[in-house]
């Protein structure tokens, strides 16, 4: 990451875009500080505060990772707010889909899900625990802080003394590895993220 000791005018869109394209860390920090709270407030119209913060963190991570493909005269403000809105709407759609899947599976397996033995001995959760233990330590740590302790990406970043982007990456990689490990249990995958992290393996 390139860092330039230069005071940038955040209002000068073309200059900021050009700086981002060259990998200027100072430009990215300016954009992050200038837009973060406003984007979180905007996003919270659609989702909860914690989810809004994660969406904005993810959007900022996307901005940095895709900086070289930015169009010079692109309006950065419009881009960021549009991405955040779309991510929030997708999140709402995902939650509604997950709720429907929950209802369908719960109805189909009502008797089995009502038994405590299902949560104590079911193979799915045993496999989940095994897959979790195999995660790289830094991925597992960030994932468990988020899932078990309900910490936001920003809180985890402060605790581990790393950037929010690093936390975002570690958690996304952990989820990716878990999904691959549990690919044969996709009908139950939604239950894993709702229930399994409350259990001890």
């Amino acid at each position: 990451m390139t860092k330039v000791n230069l005071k940038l005018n955040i209002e000068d869109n073309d200059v900021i875009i050009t700086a981002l394209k060259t990998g200027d860390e100072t430009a990215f920090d300016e954009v992050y500080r200038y837009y973060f709270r406003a984007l979180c407030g905007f996003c919270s119209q659609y989702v909860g505060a914690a989810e809004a913060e994660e969406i904005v963190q993810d959007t900022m991570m996307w901005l940095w990772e895709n900086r070289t493909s930015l169009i010079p005269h692109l309006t950065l403000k419009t881009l960021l707010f549009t991405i955040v809105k779309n991510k929030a709407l997708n999140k709402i759609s995902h939650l509604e889909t997950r709720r429907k899947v929950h209802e369908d599976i719960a109805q189909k397996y009502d008797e089995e899900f009502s038994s405590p033995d299902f949560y104590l001995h079911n193979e799915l959760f045993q496999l989940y625990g095994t897959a979790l233990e195999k995660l790289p330590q830094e991925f597992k740590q960030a994932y468990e802080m988020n899932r078990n302790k309900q910490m936001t990406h920003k809180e985890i970043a402060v605790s581990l003394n790393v950037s929010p982007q690093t936390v975002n990456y570690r958690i996304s990689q952990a989820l990716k590895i878990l999904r691959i490990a549990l690919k044969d249990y996709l009908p139950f995958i939604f239950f894993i993220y709702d229930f399994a992290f409350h259990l001890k393996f």
Side-chain angles (χ1 to χ4, degrees):
M1 204 184 280
T2 302
K3 188 165 185 175
V4 178
N5 292 320
L6 175 66
K7 183 62 178 177
L8 295 167
N9 179 8
I10 194 67
E11 301 291 345
D12 194 331
N13 189 79
D14 289 351
V15 170
I16 291 294
I17 292 293
T18 300
L20 288 174
K21 287 174 67 67
T22 61
D24 186 344
E25 182 180 352
T26 299
F28 179 74
D29 288 344
E30 289 288 333
V31 169
Y32 190 98
R33 287 194 296 268
Y34 184 80
Y35 285 106
F36 185 79
R37 289 192 177 183
L39 287 170
C40 285
F42 173 74
C43 191
S44 64
Q45 298 179 83
Y46 303 96
V47 297
E51 292 172 325
E53 185 172 305
E54 290 193 14
I55 287 174
V56 175
Q57 296 279 16
D58 186 54
T59 299
M60 289 301 182
M61 185 177 181
W62 178 92
L63 177 65
W64 181 256
E65 291 178 342
N66 293 274
R67 61 191 181 279
T68 59
S69 62
L70 294 174
I71 302 172
H73 299 295
L74 174 74
T75 302
L76 186 59
K77 178 175 68 175
T78 300
L79 174 67
L80 292 176
F81 277 86
T82 298
I83 291 175
V84 165
K85 180 179 180 179
N86 288 338
K87 284 181 176 293
L89 293 177
N90 287 339
K91 180 72 172 180
I92 294 173
S93 176
H94 169 74
L95 291 174
E96 178 60 25
T97 299
R98 185 171 68 174
R99 184 192 63 78
K100 183 63 167 60
V101 171
H102 278 197
E103 290 180 351
D104 291 345
I105 294 178
Q107 183 176 4
K108 185 175 181 180
Y109 299 97
D110 181 63
E111 183 176 350
E112 185 175 7
F113 285 170
S114 297
S115 170
D117 289 338
F118 175 83
Y119 301 98
L120 292 174
H121 306 298
N122 189 270
E123 180 184 4
L124 173 60
F125 294 99
Q126 293 175 14
L127 290 174
Y128 173 85
T130 299
L132 189 63
E133 290 303 317
K134 290 182 179 179
L135 289 175
Q137 182 57 35
E138 64 272 20
F139 294 174
K140 181 172 180 272
Q141 182 183 37
Y143 174 83
E144 290 188 323
M145 291 174 78
N146 178 245
R147 296 286 168 166
N148 295 1
K149 299 181 180 180
Q150 302 295 297
M151 295 173 65
T152 66
H153 289 204
K154 185 176 181 180
E155 290 170 339
I156 297 171
V158 172
S159 177
L160 299 180
N161 194 29
V162 297
S163 69
Q165 291 88 347
T166 296
V167 172
N168 201 344
Y169 172 77
R170 291 178 181 178
I171 292 176
S172 65
Q173 288 301 302
L175 288 171
K176 181 179 179 180
I177 293 171
L178 290 174
R179 288 191 187 103
I180 292 173
L182 298 163
K183 65 182 184 299
D184 294 332
Y185 294 84
L186 289 179
F188 298 97
I189 198 68
F190 296 109
F191 285 92
I192 292 172
Y193 301 123
D194 282 342
F195 300 125
F197 63 84
H198 291 300
L199 303 177
K200 294 183 179 179
F201 297 88

